[in-house]
Amino acid sequence: MTPVLGKDLVGLEHLSPDQIRLVLDTAEPFKEVSERPIKKVPALRGKTIVNLFFEASTRTRISFEFAEKRLSADTVNVAASGSSVQKGETLVDTARNLEAMRIDMVVIRHPSSGAAEFLGNRIRSNVINAGDGKHEHPTQGLLDLLTIRDKHGKVEGLKVCLVGDVLHSRVARSNIWGLLKMGAEVAVCGPDTLMPRGIEELGVCRFRRIEEAIEWADVLNVLRLQLERMEKGFIPSVREYYRVFGVTLERLERAPRVLTIMHPGPMNRGVEIDSRVADGPHSVILDQVTNGVAVRMAVLYLLAGGRPELADAAKGSPPGGAE
Amino acid sequence: MIDPSRNLDEPSDVLIQDGKIAGVGRALGAPDGADVRDVRDTVVAPGLVDVHVHLREPGNEDVETVATGARAAAAGGFTAVCAMPNTDPVTDNQAAVGFIVRQSVRAGLTRVYPIGAISVGQKGERLSEFGEMVGAGAVAVSDDGKPVVSSHLMRTALEYARTFGIPVADHCEEPTLAEGGVMHEGLVSARLGLKGIPAAAEEIMVARDTLLAELTGGHVHLCHLSTRGSVELVRRAKEQGIRVTAEVTPHHLTLTDRACERYDTHAKMNPPLREAADVAALRAALKGGVVDCIASDHAPHAYDAKEAAFDDAPFGVVGLETAFGVAYTELVIGGVLTLPELIHRMSTAPAAAFGLPGGTLAPGAPADVVVLDLTDSWTVDPTAFCSKSRNTPFAGRVLMGRAELTLVGGKIVHQMEAPVSQ
């Protein structure tokens, strides 16, 4: 059977709208698993998964790990520090060694754009991109889509604006591809120093003032501002960034409609987002985290060859009805 | 027989005696005991000249040596190449220059002319001893691989080089703009999430170098131009009579940043592959003479060095064995240049820019000759390269045009194997 998502999930750019919809639909039944007292189904029993994290991560790594464990997979975590990677092993050697251990899947986070695709092209195991450099973070894009769909009942026709450091953001790229494919209107807002040149050619509109973005949008996805950007001279100060681009309660109160507020985390309160907004009634930031586990369960299940129409039933049996 | 140095393009015999061209013309007749080669249906031309190669010796002999580079050059139809000084240690003194010359003589293949470093250790601080290096055989100076950051150093290099009549070759890159960049800054880099190098990083230095050449009257040679803006700056400088020459690589004439899609590290080079409009401008500049010559920027790397994430792979591609085929297929068959124009840009013009012997079949000139087969197609197979390295973006390409026979000083240094009869 041809896997419905292909062998790997490296990004949303090359997925079809139907494939994206399939992941979101498959995530729905998995949401319920996490609400049970015994949060475990046997769908991936006997599968071995390596979580290969070349960059520090708390939320994404734990989210993947819960998704894997709740599907009954056997998992191993490898962090770059303290591993052979730190001893100078190349990515291709790491890949070959993993392959030699006959693992089924690799979840990879890496500081270099393209690292997940590189790995996927060199090993037979399924590869899931958990963030590669400034390229993509597809499961984040998918969980953002699921969260928007939960909140608004649809994605199509909504106006979603990504606010902040689009230049360095893999979350932004996955959001742009996913939202456009699902029929949303997409905008970006931030200083020119944090926007890739030619971003409009991807089909997004562009705001230079946060007030204009707020007036336009139904949903704001507020990106994290890496504090090291100041040292590299992209912005003069955190203080001024908040003054000019901060998503504040005052600014939102002047909006013509109620905006849904998202943030991929971890947040810098008082830098890109006002605490009162993050904690406010229209924030879905923690729903994003909850949905992250379900979306990752769906991705793991589908890449392992699980049949989408059986996702509901899979909660009680392994994929394909084996065993 | 095509000889751009004398505007000749006609059927002809070429007589070689004592390592020199003894005669060119119809029905010359062969002296007794001559080795007569019937090369009908081919083109006899002055040997190709490449003013920009990296041969990695001393320091990185695993990936190339003077001898293997000269072997690759001969196979590519080149009879003279200029070796950049970014070796380890840097070729920045007469002893190091003399070593390259000796290795070249020992190999006895394509002539390898050393280029000395502009600054000691290519550190961009103190001038190297140009005079002694020229005395030992250097034909130019360059800190290639790195830009000359200090405008003062570039100025003094251009002034000091005048004493010895050599060009100062610069790798034009404004380092603070280019820092961390791995490909052209544009839509493709935005999509791939790779840090871009804007065209302005090159153009700022092209503008600076032409201004300094004007100030000093020195001869600046601009390496591997890649942008339409650079072409425009060079055009204006030449119109003002500034002593500037420029080169372009076969890859910048034929590929765009789209070759970096799927993170193909064989498309990672510096300067980076640019956009279609840049390729068009470079082609027009080569046709019109704004850009003087094609140079390969042959940059060998270990077979596994490019097996890495895009950010982590080294810049550069090999080119000696594909340069003529790529240029002939894309530019001559592609209708941009005539064959005599291409040979001019790959032989006569680069020889003139660097003041090298060669680039001509005039009687009395050294018998540096290439016989080009233009009728059979061939497929680029990196495993068959004479170079020690395989890092080419043209693997698998079907090309027309390659060297059937290469002679240096009348001696055969490359001979294509006769095709196995079917």
mmCIF file of all heavy atoms in Angstrom, chain A residues 13-14 92 110-114 117-118 122 132 134-135 173 177 196-198 201-202, chain B residues 185-187 189-195 198-199 262-263 306-312:
data_model
loop_
_atom_site.group_PDB
_atom_site.id
_atom_site.type_symbol
_atom_site.label_atom_id
_atom_site.label_comp_id
_atom_site.label_asym_id
_atom_site.label_seq_id
_atom_site.Cartn_x
_atom_site.Cartn_y
_atom_site.Cartn_z
ATOM 1 N N GLU A 13 5.227 22.357 2.165
ATOM 2 C CA GLU A 13 5.280 22.919 0.812
ATOM 3 C C GLU A 13 4.895 21.898 -0.238
ATOM 4 O O GLU A 13 4.245 22.227 -1.224
ATOM 5 C CB GLU A 13 6.682 23.474 0.510
ATOM 6 C CG GLU A 13 6.778 24.093 -0.880
ATOM 7 C CD GLU A 13 8.146 24.673 -1.233
ATOM 8 O OE1 GLU A 13 9.045 24.676 -0.373
ATOM 9 O OE2 GLU A 13 8.291 25.144 -2.380
ATOM 10 N N HIS A 14 5.317 20.653 -0.022
ATOM 11 C CA HIS A 14 5.088 19.660 -1.060
ATOM 12 C C HIS A 14 3.915 18.726 -0.749
ATOM 13 O O HIS A 14 3.742 17.713 -1.425
ATOM 14 C CB HIS A 14 6.382 18.871 -1.321
ATOM 15 C CG HIS A 14 7.508 19.759 -1.775
ATOM 16 N ND1 HIS A 14 7.515 20.371 -3.010
ATOM 17 C CD2 HIS A 14 8.628 20.195 -1.138
ATOM 18 C CE1 HIS A 14 8.601 21.122 -3.132
ATOM 19 N NE2 HIS A 14 9.292 21.033 -2.006
ATOM 20 N N VAL A 92 25.626 12.305 8.006
ATOM 21 C CA VAL A 92 25.453 11.103 7.188
ATOM 22 C C VAL A 92 25.894 9.856 7.966
ATOM 23 O O VAL A 92 25.274 8.789 7.863
ATOM 24 C CB VAL A 92 26.164 11.238 5.820
ATOM 25 C CG1 VAL A 92 27.666 11.283 5.948
ATOM 26 C CG2 VAL A 92 25.737 10.157 4.872
ATOM 27 N N HIS A 110 17.039 19.914 13.701
ATOM 28 C CA HIS A 110 18.426 20.219 13.324
ATOM 29 C C HIS A 110 18.564 21.703 13.008
ATOM 30 O O HIS A 110 17.648 22.301 12.457
ATOM 31 C CB HIS A 110 18.805 19.378 12.093
ATOM 32 C CG HIS A 110 20.288 19.264 11.853
ATOM 33 N ND1 HIS A 110 21.017 20.283 11.280
ATOM 34 C CD2 HIS A 110 21.178 18.270 12.109
ATOM 35 C CE1 HIS A 110 22.289 19.902 11.195
ATOM 36 N NE2 HIS A 110 22.416 18.695 11.692
ATOM 37 N N PRO A 111 19.712 22.302 13.337
ATOM 38 C CA PRO A 111 19.873 23.740 13.065
ATOM 39 C C PRO A 111 20.056 24.088 11.589
ATOM 40 O O PRO A 111 19.973 25.262 11.234
ATOM 41 C CB PRO A 111 21.131 24.119 13.870
ATOM 42 C CG PRO A 111 21.868 22.845 14.084
ATOM 43 C CD PRO A 111 20.823 21.769 14.138
ATOM 44 N N SER A 112 20.311 23.094 10.724
ATOM 45 C CA SER A 112 20.540 23.405 9.307
ATOM 46 C C SER A 112 19.290 23.143 8.487
ATOM 47 O O SER A 112 18.717 22.045 8.536
ATOM 48 C CB SER A 112 21.667 22.541 8.741
ATOM 49 O OG SER A 112 22.874 22.809 9.396
ATOM 50 N N SER A 113 18.895 24.127 7.684
ATOM 51 C CA SER A 113 17.774 23.943 6.765
ATOM 52 C C SER A 113 18.091 22.791 5.820
ATOM 53 O O SER A 113 19.193 22.706 5.299
ATOM 54 C CB SER A 113 17.544 25.221 5.949
ATOM 55 O OG SER A 113 17.248 26.301 6.795
ATOM 56 N N GLY A 114 17.113 21.927 5.584
ATOM 57 C CA GLY A 114 17.311 20.830 4.648
ATOM 58 C C GLY A 114 17.827 19.552 5.297
ATOM 59 O O GLY A 114 17.936 18.524 4.629
ATOM 60 N N GLU A 117 15.360 16.533 5.059
ATOM 61 C CA GLU A 117 15.294 15.967 3.708
ATOM 62 C C GLU A 117 16.569 15.179 3.402
ATOM 63 O O GLU A 117 16.523 14.096 2.811
ATOM 64 C CB GLU A 117 15.109 17.102 2.692
ATOM 65 C CG GLU A 117 14.942 16.596 1.278
ATOM 66 C CD GLU A 117 14.452 17.670 0.317
ATOM 67 O OE1 GLU A 117 13.804 18.639 0.774
ATOM 68 O OE2 GLU A 117 14.715 17.529 -0.884
ATOM 69 N N PHE A 118 17.691 15.730 3.824
ATOM 70 C CA PHE A 118 18.988 15.059 3.654
ATOM 71 C C PHE A 118 18.949 13.668 4.283
ATOM 72 O O PHE A 118 19.326 12.679 3.665
ATOM 73 C CB PHE A 118 20.065 15.922 4.307
ATOM 74 C CG PHE A 118 21.451 15.353 4.265
ATOM 75 C CD1 PHE A 118 22.298 15.634 3.206
ATOM 76 C CD2 PHE A 118 21.924 14.530 5.281
ATOM 77 C CE1 PHE A 118 23.585 15.115 3.164
ATOM 78 C CE2 PHE A 118 23.207 14.004 5.246
ATOM 79 C CZ PHE A 118 24.038 14.299 4.180
ATOM 80 N N ARG A 122 18.557 9.410 2.649
ATOM 81 C CA ARG A 122 19.663 8.482 2.850
ATOM 82 C C ARG A 122 19.331 7.272 3.700
ATOM 83 O O ARG A 122 20.164 6.374 3.829
ATOM 84 C CB ARG A 122 20.858 9.240 3.451
ATOM 85 C CG ARG A 122 21.619 10.002 2.375
ATOM 86 C CD ARG A 122 22.475 11.091 2.931
ATOM 87 N NE ARG A 122 23.095 11.842 1.828
ATOM 88 C CZ ARG A 122 22.450 12.766 1.108
ATOM 89 N NH1 ARG A 122 21.183 13.054 1.380
ATOM 90 N NH2 ARG A 122 23.052 13.383 0.110
ATOM 91 N N ASP A 132 13.796 22.199 10.905
ATOM 92 C CA ASP A 132 15.134 22.204 10.309
ATOM 93 C C ASP A 132 15.522 23.638 9.985
ATOM 94 O O ASP A 132 15.016 24.248 9.059
ATOM 95 C CB ASP A 132 15.207 21.304 9.067
ATOM 96 C CG ASP A 132 14.295 21.733 7.922
ATOM 97 O OD1 ASP A 132 13.213 22.300 8.212
ATOM 98 O OD2 ASP A 132 14.651 21.531 6.748
ATOM 99 N N LYS A 134 15.900 27.275 9.308
ATOM 100 C CA LYS A 134 14.888 28.290 9.059
ATOM 101 C C LYS A 134 13.907 27.811 7.993
ATOM 102 O O LYS A 134 13.229 28.608 7.369
ATOM 103 C CB LYS A 134 15.565 29.586 8.588
ATOM 104 C CG LYS A 134 16.616 30.107 9.561
ATOM 105 C CD LYS A 134 17.219 31.425 9.120
ATOM 106 C CE LYS A 134 18.192 31.317 7.967
ATOM 107 N NZ LYS A 134 19.516 30.793 8.344
ATOM 108 N N HIS A 135 13.864 26.503 7.762
ATOM 109 C CA HIS A 135 13.088 25.984 6.641
ATOM 110 C C HIS A 135 11.637 25.716 7.032
ATOM 111 O O HIS A 135 10.771 26.534 6.798
ATOM 112 C CB HIS A 135 13.774 24.720 6.107
ATOM 113 C CG HIS A 135 13.039 24.046 5.003
ATOM 114 N ND1 HIS A 135 12.853 22.682 4.960
ATOM 115 C CD2 HIS A 135 12.433 24.536 3.910
ATOM 116 C CE1 HIS A 135 12.165 22.377 3.866
ATOM 117 N NE2 HIS A 135 11.900 23.474 3.220
ATOM 118 N N ARG A 173 7.198 29.574 7.742
ATOM 119 C CA ARG A 173 7.136 28.959 6.407
ATOM 120 C C ARG A 173 6.101 27.835 6.370
ATOM 121 O O ARG A 173 5.313 27.736 5.423
ATOM 122 C CB ARG A 173 8.517 28.470 5.987
ATOM 123 C CG ARG A 173 9.412 29.641 5.540
ATOM 124 C CD ARG A 173 10.863 29.224 5.349
ATOM 125 N NE ARG A 173 11.703 30.373 4.982
ATOM 126 C CZ ARG A 173 12.063 31.339 5.835
ATOM 127 N NH1 ARG A 173 11.648 31.318 7.087
ATOM 128 N NH2 ARG A 173 12.806 32.346 5.439
ATOM 129 N N TRP A 177 2.651 27.881 3.898
ATOM 130 C CA TRP A 177 2.264 26.829 2.944
ATOM 131 C C TRP A 177 0.935 26.192 3.341
ATOM 132 O O TRP A 177 0.037 26.032 2.513
ATOM 133 C CB TRP A 177 3.342 25.747 2.838
ATOM 134 C CG TRP A 177 4.642 26.231 2.268
ATOM 135 C CD1 TRP A 177 5.873 26.175 2.855
ATOM 136 C CD2 TRP A 177 4.851 26.847 0.988
ATOM 137 N NE1 TRP A 177 6.818 26.722 2.035
ATOM 138 C CE2 TRP A 177 6.238 27.143 0.886
ATOM 139 C CE3 TRP A 177 4.016 27.193 -0.076
ATOM 140 C CZ2 TRP A 177 6.801 27.750 -0.241
ATOM 141 C CZ3 TRP A 177 4.581 27.802 -1.198
ATOM 142 C CH2 TRP A 177 5.941 28.068 -1.271
ATOM 143 N N PRO A 196 12.015 37.919 4.846
ATOM 144 C CA PRO A 196 12.822 37.488 3.697
ATOM 145 C C PRO A 196 12.470 38.334 2.481
ATOM 146 O O PRO A 196 11.303 38.674 2.284
ATOM 147 C CB PRO A 196 12.390 36.039 3.470
ATOM 148 C CG PRO A 196 11.480 35.684 4.588
ATOM 149 C CD PRO A 196 11.018 36.929 5.237
ATOM 150 N N ARG A 197 13.474 38.645 1.678
ATOM 151 C CA ARG A 197 13.192 39.379 0.440
ATOM 152 C C ARG A 197 12.362 38.492 -0.475
ATOM 153 O O ARG A 197 12.619 37.315 -0.617
ATOM 154 C CB ARG A 197 14.490 39.772 -0.265
ATOM 155 C CG ARG A 197 15.113 41.019 0.326
ATOM 156 C CD ARG A 197 16.423 41.319 -0.362
ATOM 157 N NE ARG A 197 16.237 41.687 -1.755
ATOM 158 C CZ ARG A 197 17.119 41.403 -2.726
ATOM 159 N NH1 ARG A 197 18.206 40.745 -2.448
ATOM 160 N NH2 ARG A 197 16.888 41.775 -3.959
ATOM 161 N N GLY A 198 11.362 39.081 -1.091
ATOM 162 C CA GLY A 198 10.562 38.324 -2.053
ATOM 163 C C GLY A 198 9.452 37.516 -1.417
ATOM 164 O O GLY A 198 8.823 36.690 -2.074
ATOM 165 N N GLU A 201 6.055 37.152 -3.046
ATOM 166 C CA GLU A 201 5.910 36.271 -4.211
ATOM 167 C C GLU A 201 5.412 34.886 -3.817
ATOM 168 O O GLU A 201 5.033 34.091 -4.678
ATOM 169 C CB GLU A 201 7.243 36.141 -4.958
ATOM 170 C CG GLU A 201 7.640 37.435 -5.653
ATOM 171 C CD GLU A 201 9.037 37.354 -6.260
ATOM 172 O OE1 GLU A 201 9.265 36.459 -7.084
ATOM 173 O OE2 GLU A 201 9.885 38.189 -5.891
ATOM 174 N N LEU A 202 5.406 34.569 -2.528
ATOM 175 C CA LEU A 202 4.826 33.303 -2.090
ATOM 176 C C LEU A 202 3.299 33.406 -2.035
ATOM 177 O O LEU A 202 2.626 32.407 -1.803
ATOM 178 C CB LEU A 202 5.359 32.917 -0.703
ATOM 179 C CG LEU A 202 6.858 32.668 -0.575
ATOM 180 C CD1 LEU A 202 7.197 32.207 0.838
ATOM 181 C CD2 LEU A 202 7.322 31.626 -1.583
ATOM 182 N N GLU B 185 20.552 35.469 -2.455
ATOM 183 C CA GLU B 185 19.394 35.949 -1.706
ATOM 184 C C GLU B 185 18.270 36.265 -2.678
ATOM 185 O O GLU B 185 18.391 37.138 -3.534
ATOM 186 C CB GLU B 185 19.761 37.205 -0.906
ATOM 187 C CG GLU B 185 18.593 37.727 -0.093
ATOM 188 C CD GLU B 185 18.973 38.913 0.790
ATOM 189 O OE1 GLU B 185 19.985 38.823 1.492
ATOM 190 O OE2 GLU B 185 18.251 39.914 0.756
ATOM 191 N N GLY B 186 17.189 35.517 -2.557
ATOM 192 C CA GLY B 186 16.060 35.705 -3.459
ATOM 193 C C GLY B 186 14.914 34.824 -3.013
ATOM 194 O O GLY B 186 14.885 34.336 -1.874
ATOM 195 N N LEU B 187 14.003 34.589 -3.931
ATOM 196 C CA LEU B 187 12.815 33.813 -3.565
ATOM 197 C C LEU B 187 13.179 32.375 -3.171
ATOM 198 O O LEU B 187 12.594 31.810 -2.245
ATOM 199 C CB LEU B 187 11.826 33.812 -4.748
ATOM 200 C CG LEU B 187 10.487 33.147 -4.480
ATOM 201 C CD1 LEU B 187 9.764 33.809 -3.327
ATOM 202 C CD2 LEU B 187 9.623 33.173 -5.735
ATOM 203 N N SER B 189 15.969 31.233 -1.820
ATOM 204 C CA SER B 189 16.545 31.181 -0.464
ATOM 205 C C SER B 189 15.466 31.428 0.582
ATOM 206 O O SER B 189 15.499 30.836 1.661
ATOM 207 C CB SER B 189 17.691 32.189 -0.310
ATOM 208 O OG SER B 189 17.230 33.522 -0.346
ATOM 209 N N ALA B 190 14.492 32.282 0.267
ATOM 210 C CA ALA B 190 13.396 32.528 1.212
ATOM 211 C C ALA B 190 12.616 31.242 1.451
ATOM 212 O O ALA B 190 12.257 30.912 2.580
ATOM 213 C CB ALA B 190 12.471 33.622 0.681
ATOM 214 N N ARG B 191 12.369 30.492 0.382
ATOM 215 C CA ARG B 191 11.596 29.256 0.518
ATOM 216 C C ARG B 191 12.375 28.179 1.234
ATOM 217 O O ARG B 191 11.841 27.441 2.055
ATOM 218 C CB ARG B 191 11.186 28.753 -0.865
ATOM 219 C CG ARG B 191 9.973 29.493 -1.400
ATOM 220 C CD ARG B 191 9.500 28.908 -2.735
ATOM 221 N NE ARG B 191 9.800 27.505 -2.838
ATOM 222 C CZ ARG B 191 10.502 26.951 -3.814
ATOM 223 N NH1 ARG B 191 10.953 27.689 -4.805
ATOM 224 N NH2 ARG B 191 10.723 25.676 -3.826
ATOM 225 N N LEU B 192 13.662 28.055 0.900
ATOM 226 C CA LEU B 192 14.457 26.978 1.485
ATOM 227 C C LEU B 192 14.893 27.310 2.905
ATOM 228 O O LEU B 192 15.388 26.442 3.618
ATOM 229 C CB LEU B 192 15.692 26.706 0.619
ATOM 230 C CG LEU B 192 15.421 26.139 -0.771
ATOM 231 C CD1 LEU B 192 16.722 25.990 -1.545
ATOM 232 C CD2 LEU B 192 14.708 24.791 -0.684
ATOM 233 N N GLY B 193 14.715 28.579 3.315
ATOM 234 C CA GLY B 193 15.152 28.951 4.654
ATOM 235 C C GLY B 193 16.668 28.966 4.771
ATOM 236 O O GLY B 193 17.213 28.644 5.820
ATOM 237 N N LEU B 194 17.347 29.321 3.681
ATOM 238 C CA LEU B 194 18.807 29.406 3.697
ATOM 239 C C LEU B 194 19.214 30.876 3.660
ATOM 240 O O LEU B 194 18.561 31.688 3.005
ATOM 241 C CB LEU B 194 19.395 28.665 2.492
ATOM 242 C CG LEU B 194 19.204 27.152 2.515
ATOM 243 C CD1 LEU B 194 19.634 26.541 1.176
ATOM 244 C CD2 LEU B 194 19.987 26.503 3.659
ATOM 245 N N LYS B 195 20.303 31.189 4.341
ATOM 246 C CA LYS B 195 20.718 32.592 4.375
ATOM 247 C C LYS B 195 21.299 32.992 3.026
ATOM 248 O O LYS B 195 22.138 32.306 2.463
ATOM 249 C CB LYS B 195 21.755 32.826 5.478
ATOM 250 C CG LYS B 195 22.128 34.307 5.611
ATOM 251 C CD LYS B 195 22.596 34.648 7.008
ATOM 252 C CE LYS B 195 22.644 36.136 7.290
ATOM 253 N NZ LYS B 195 23.437 36.955 6.444
ATOM 254 N N PRO B 198 23.272 38.739 -0.916
ATOM 255 C CA PRO B 198 22.647 39.632 -1.894
ATOM 256 C C PRO B 198 23.615 39.993 -3.015
ATOM 257 O O PRO B 198 24.838 39.986 -2.822
ATOM 258 C CB PRO B 198 22.277 40.869 -1.067
ATOM 259 C CG PRO B 198 23.206 40.856 0.090
ATOM 260 C CD PRO B 198 23.513 39.403 0.378
ATOM 261 N N ALA B 199 23.059 40.297 -4.171
ATOM 262 C CA ALA B 199 23.880 40.708 -5.311
ATOM 263 C C ALA B 199 24.748 41.901 -4.942
ATOM 264 O O ALA B 199 25.892 42.020 -5.394
ATOM 265 C CB ALA B 199 22.972 41.032 -6.507
ATOM 266 N N ARG B 262 15.994 21.349 -3.378
ATOM 267 C CA ARG B 262 16.238 20.065 -2.733
ATOM 268 C C ARG B 262 17.601 20.076 -2.048
ATOM 269 O O ARG B 262 18.186 19.028 -1.803
ATOM 270 C CB ARG B 262 16.171 18.870 -3.709
ATOM 271 C CG ARG B 262 15.085 18.890 -4.768
ATOM 272 C CD ARG B 262 13.682 19.083 -4.258
ATOM 273 N NE ARG B 262 13.266 18.103 -3.260
ATOM 274 C CZ ARG B 262 12.014 17.680 -3.119
ATOM 275 N NH1 ARG B 262 11.070 18.110 -3.924
ATOM 276 N NH2 ARG B 262 11.705 16.844 -2.164
ATOM 277 N N TYR B 263 18.083 21.270 -1.755
ATOM 278 C CA TYR B 263 19.337 21.402 -1.001
ATOM 279 C C TYR B 263 20.492 20.664 -1.678
ATOM 280 O O TYR B 263 21.270 19.977 -1.026
ATOM 281 C CB TYR B 263 19.140 20.912 0.435
ATOM 282 C CG TYR B 263 18.068 21.689 1.168
ATOM 283 C CD1 TYR B 263 16.759 21.209 1.244
ATOM 284 C CD2 TYR B 263 18.343 22.921 1.738
ATOM 285 C CE1 TYR B 263 15.767 21.934 1.885
ATOM 286 C CE2 TYR B 263 17.358 23.650 2.373
ATOM 287 C CZ TYR B 263 16.081 23.154 2.458
ATOM 288 O OH TYR B 263 15.109 23.866 3.087
ATOM 289 N N LYS B 306 30.652 17.118 0.262
ATOM 290 C CA LYS B 306 29.359 17.667 -0.146
ATOM 291 C C LYS B 306 28.192 16.826 0.382
ATOM 292 O O LYS B 306 27.043 17.175 0.181
ATOM 293 C CB LYS B 306 29.290 17.752 -1.676
ATOM 294 C CG LYS B 306 30.237 18.791 -2.292
ATOM 295 C CD LYS B 306 29.619 20.187 -2.325
ATOM 296 C CE LYS B 306 30.457 21.149 -3.169
ATOM 297 N NZ LYS B 306 29.845 22.495 -3.251
ATOM 298 N N GLU B 307 28.527 15.705 1.037
ATOM 299 C CA GLU B 307 27.497 14.867 1.653
ATOM 300 C C GLU B 307 27.165 15.444 3.017
ATOM 301 O O GLU B 307 27.512 14.867 4.055
ATOM 302 C CB GLU B 307 28.016 13.440 1.803
ATOM 303 C CG GLU B 307 27.787 12.566 0.595
ATOM 304 C CD GLU B 307 26.346 12.112 0.490
ATOM 305 O OE1 GLU B 307 25.953 11.194 1.223
ATOM 306 O OE2 GLU B 307 25.614 12.713 -0.321
ATOM 307 N N ALA B 308 26.512 16.576 3.024
ATOM 308 C CA ALA B 308 26.240 17.268 4.282
ATOM 309 C C ALA B 308 25.032 18.163 4.078
ATOM 310 O O ALA B 308 24.582 18.370 2.946
ATOM 311 C CB ALA B 308 27.455 18.107 4.681
ATOM 312 N N ALA B 309 24.515 18.658 5.192
ATOM 313 C CA ALA B 309 23.457 19.653 5.089
ATOM 314 C C ALA B 309 24.011 20.865 4.335
ATOM 315 O O ALA B 309 25.208 21.134 4.373
ATOM 316 C CB ALA B 309 22.988 20.059 6.477
ATOM 317 N N PHE B 310 23.131 21.591 3.645
ATOM 318 C CA PHE B 310 23.578 22.667 2.748
ATOM 319 C C PHE B 310 24.474 23.669 3.471
ATOM 320 O O PHE B 310 25.505 24.082 2.944
ATOM 321 C CB PHE B 310 22.354 23.369 2.144
ATOM 322 C CG PHE B 310 22.640 24.084 0.855
ATOM 323 C CD1 PHE B 310 22.533 23.441 -0.365
ATOM 324 C CD2 PHE B 310 23.018 25.420 0.867
ATOM 325 C CE1 PHE B 310 22.798 24.103 -1.560
ATOM 326 C CE2 PHE B 310 23.287 26.094 -0.323
ATOM 327 C CZ PHE B 310 23.177 25.435 -1.531
ATOM 328 N N ASP B 311 24.066 24.062 4.692
ATOM 329 C CA ASP B 311 24.859 25.029 5.456
ATOM 330 C C ASP B 311 26.272 24.527 5.719
ATOM 331 O O ASP B 311 27.203 25.320 5.830
ATOM 332 C CB ASP B 311 24.211 25.263 6.836
ATOM 333 C CG ASP B 311 23.040 26.227 6.758
ATOM 334 O OD1 ASP B 311 22.977 27.009 5.795
ATOM 335 O OD2 ASP B 311 22.195 26.190 7.675
ATOM 336 N N ASP B 312 26.420 23.228 5.862
ATOM 337 C CA ASP B 312 27.685 22.653 6.309
ATOM 338 C C ASP B 312 28.600 22.241 5.163
ATOM 339 O O ASP B 312 29.766 21.917 5.393
ATOM 340 C CB ASP B 312 27.415 21.429 7.204
ATOM 341 C CG ASP B 312 26.520 21.776 8.383
ATOM 342 O OD1 ASP B 312 26.623 22.923 8.864
ATOM 343 O OD2 ASP B 312 25.713 20.934 8.815
#
